[in-house]
């Protein structure tokens, strides 16, 4: 039996598994959505199974897709590691480390961490999956990432959570805003001004909703964003 499968098909599959969105996955691997769809369809035809269930709102793995995902991930990791080793055969450590990470941590922490890591292990490559908290958790569970940096996740027997940083939520405003000099702020005062908020797909939003049960805003937000870094840009 000959399978008509190439590496581009596997990378397309992995991107869709990671992002669960044809649009986001296509952008991540620099393809058009139709081109990504063709690669997924080609892979499914070659394997003779459906790997994804598609609806107008979401993309989810079928049972066959869930079984295939960690194997496809391992194939790509083994290949990339082999290429790294062949490209520079020496006694120094080589390989690939895949880290799933929420965008805020990817922006504020990971550049310095990766730079320091590269000083010690210059031949080890880093692959960073910057996505939402839920996607980070799923990537670790599915074996698509060696470890993840996030701030939420349901307990699982095969996953260990290790606290790294303890941070507080704060209100952010421009330096010339009337509230800029305040040391503290009530939620009533906060909601009396036009504000930007996180949408319900954000892990931060879920935590805030749990903490603010019973506090009802007097008016809706001006804009909602998925990521904290985008929210800060709006402010």
């Amino acid at each position: 039996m000959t399978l008509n499968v190439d590496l581009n098909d596997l990378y397309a599959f992995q991107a869709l598994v990671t992002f669960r969105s044809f649009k986001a996955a296509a952008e991540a691997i620099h393809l058009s959505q139709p081109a990504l769809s063709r690669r997924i369809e080609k892979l499914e035809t070659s394997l003779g199974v459906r790997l994804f269930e598609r609806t107008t709102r979401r993309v989810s793995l079928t049972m066959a897709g869930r079984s295939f995902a960690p194997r496809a991930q391992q194939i790509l990791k083994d290949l990339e590691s082999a290429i790294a080793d062949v490209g520079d055969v020496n006694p120094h450590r080589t390989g690939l480390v895949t880290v799933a990470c929420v965008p805020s941590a990817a922006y504020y922490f990971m550049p310095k961490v990766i730079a320091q890591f590269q000083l010690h292990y210059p031949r080890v490559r880093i692959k960073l999956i910057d996505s939402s908290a839920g996607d980070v958790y799923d990537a670790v569970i599915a074996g698509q990432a060696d470890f993840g940096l996030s701030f939420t996740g349901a307990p699982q027997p095969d996953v260990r959570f290790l606290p790294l940083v303890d941070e507080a939520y704060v209100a952010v405003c421009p330096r010339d805003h009337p509230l800029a000099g305040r040391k503290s702020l009530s939620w009533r005062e906060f909601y009396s001004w036009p504000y930007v908020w996180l949408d319900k797909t954000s892990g931060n939003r879920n935590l805030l909703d749990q903490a603010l049960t019973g506090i009802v805003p007097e008016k809706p937000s001006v804009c909602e964003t998925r990521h904290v870094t985008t929210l800060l840009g709006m402010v």
Side-chain angles (χ1 to χ4, degrees), residues 21-235:
S21 161
F22 275 88
K23 179 180 179 182
E27 290 175 352
I29 58 176
H30 308 292
L31 283 179
S32 66
Q33 289 188 55
L36 176 65
S37 296
R38 286 194 295 271
R39 288 188 181 178
I40 297 299
E41 290 171 1
K42 175 175 173 283
L43 181 60
E44 290 179 326
T45 299
S46 183
L47 296 177
V49 295
R50 286 184 64 84
L51 299 171
F52 295 96
E53 294 291 349
R54 306 161 176 83
T55 67
T56 56
R57 293 193 174 186
R58 63 194 298 263
V59 177
S60 60
L61 284 166
T62 62
M63 184 177 297
R66 288 193 297 271
S67 175
F68 183 65
R71 301 178 186 184
Q73 169 71 10
Q74 192 60 50
I75 290 171
L76 293 175
K77 285 184 68 173
D78 289 345
L79 177 64
E80 291 174 349
S81 179
I83 291 173
D85 290 343
V86 170
D88 192 5
V89 178
N90 57 54
H92 298 288
R93 181 172 297 181
T94 62
L96 172 70
V97 177
T98 302
V99 183
C101 186
V102 291
S104 53
Y107 181 82
Y108 289 106
F109 303 129
M110 289 306 292
K112 183 177 180 180
V113 170
I114 292 175
Q116 292 176 340
F117 183 86
Q118 285 289 293
L119 291 176
H120 296 284
Y121 306 102
R123 293 171 179 82
V124 177
R125 295 183 301 121
I126 305 294
K127 179 178 180 180
L128 192 64
I129 303 174
D130 49 335
S131 193
S132 66
D135 289 340
V136 169
Y137 186 71
D138 290 342
V140 174
I141 292 293
Q144 297 158 11
D146 297 301
F147 64 93
L149 295 177
S150 186
F151 47 81
T152 184
Q156 287 280 351
D158 297 332
V159 177
R160 179 187 177 194
F161 287 88
L162 179 65
L164 298 176
V165 179
D166 187 12
E167 292 188 308
Y169 283 98
V170 297
V172 179
C173 63
R175 294 183 182 276
D176 58 354
H177 194 279
L179 297 177
R182 297 284 296 274
K183 297 297 183 182
S184 63
L185 191 67
S186 70
W187 283 106
R188 181 177 294 276
E189 291 172 310
F190 175 85
Y191 285 131
S192 68
W193 293 88
Y195 66 96
V196 184
W197 205 237
L198 294 160
D199 73 22
K200 290 186 179 296
T201 61
S202 165
N204 279 291
R205 171 65 179 272
N206 292 332
L207 291 179
L208 286 169
D209 284 347
Q210 294 172 20
L212 301 179
T213 301
I215 300 177
V216 180
E218 297 179 2
K219 51 189 175 183
S221 61
V222 174
C223 176
E224 291 189 354
T225 72
R226 178 168 297 184
H227 301 304
V228 173
T229 47
T230 307
L231 181 145
L232 292 175
M234 293 294 178
V235 172

